[in-house]
Amino acid sequence: MKRLILLRHGQTDWNRVGRVQGQSDAPLNELGHVQAQGAAPAMAAYRPSLVWSSDLSRAADTAAYVAEACGVAPHMDERLREWGFGEREGLTHDEFRAADPEAYGRFRLGRYDEVPGAESTAAVHARMLAALGELVARTPEGGTAVAVSHGAAIKLAVGGLLGWAGHQAVDTLWGMSNCGWAELTLGHGEPTRLAAYNRTA
């Protein structure tokens, strides 16, 4: 059996004011650094042998705290990036709503395929599961791996790992808190199981 931890990055100023981030590279703010430092010993308690991360700075900086606490070198992988939200990135939720009320309504329901210029669900699903599958394959039997990623991408990945279809993960799971994490167990012919979701330090 192997354990996989999916950790969301710490807070950014864009999170704080409700600005759509997507793949725009907003850095951690002061609270985000505190959150990441607080999550690091919690991650170290799992004794992970591998720490992988999105290459966006808010995730990479979170992963740096985690990797240092765990005594491992972090590995950056662009496949673990957040969902790309195209031309709507950088807008506050109020600005998005004013610019395109219908698209905003679909965005709030997690129907990102219908947001102009957004990355497709299929593309995010494929890249996230490819990266996480490779990470799990490299994890020793009985070991743990940590992947530092982003809220919407983590939610979709959790559903994919559990074999959920369509929008089930978006419709079922709450949003992930900054430096919240999901814990899954995999292997030995057993179904993948969700042991925790949105746990925080």
Side-chain angles (χ1 to χ4, degrees):
M1 190 71 68
K2 300 179 183 182
R3 180 188 289 116
L4 176 64
I5 307 295
L6 302 179
L7 174 69
R8 188 185 178 202
H9 60 81
Q11 189 190 79
T12 71
D13 282 340
W14 284 29
N15 290 142
R16 184 178 56 80
V17 301
R19 197 175 296 279
V20 179
Q21 289 187 123
Q23 295 186 4
S24 296
D25 201 9
L28 295 178
N29 62 18
E30 183 176 352
L31 176 58
H33 282 282
V34 171
Q35 291 170 331
Q37 289 173 317
M43 295 296 100
Y46 286 107
R47 302 183 67 181
S49 54
L50 295 165
V51 175
W52 284 22
S53 175
S54 158
D55 61 342
L56 297 176
S57 65
R58 59 190 184 271
D61 289 346
T62 299
Y65 289 112
V66 171
E68 182 177 8
C70 297
V72 300
H75 170 75
M76 301 297 114
D77 192 322
E78 66 180 11
R79 294 174 296 177
L80 297 173
R81 286 183 178 187
E82 180 60 295
W83 213 302
F85 293 124
E87 63 198 69
R88 303 307 181 195
E89 291 184 12
L91 297 180
T92 66
H93 283 243
D94 287 343
E95 290 168 342
F96 188 169
R97 184 189 297 110
D100 192 339
E102 291 187 9
Y104 179 75
R106 294 190 290 271
F107 173 81
R108 291 294 294 163
L109 291 173
R111 302 305 189 259
Y112 303 137
D113 287 334
E114 301 176 53
V115 175
E119 188 177 10
S120 72
T121 300
V124 180
H125 185 274
R127 64 173 170 80
M128 286 291 291
L129 292 192
L132 296 174
E134 185 177 334
L135 174 56
V136 170
R138 295 189 182 195
T139 303
E141 190 60 42
T144 297
V146 173
V148 183
S149 187
H150 307 264
I154 287 175
K155 186 187 289 190
L156 185 65
V158 167
L161 290 166
L162 294 172
W164 293 356
H167 293 286
Q168 188 174 354
V170 172
D171 294 342
T172 302
L173 298 172
W174 291 102
M176 186 73 75
S177 301
N178 288 115
C179 280
W181 68 87
E183 176 185 344
L184 300 103
T185 57
L186 316 89
H188 277 315
E190 295 288 328
T192 298
R193 299 185 187 278
L194 182 63
Y197 186 81
N198 204 24
R199 181 171 288 171
T200 56

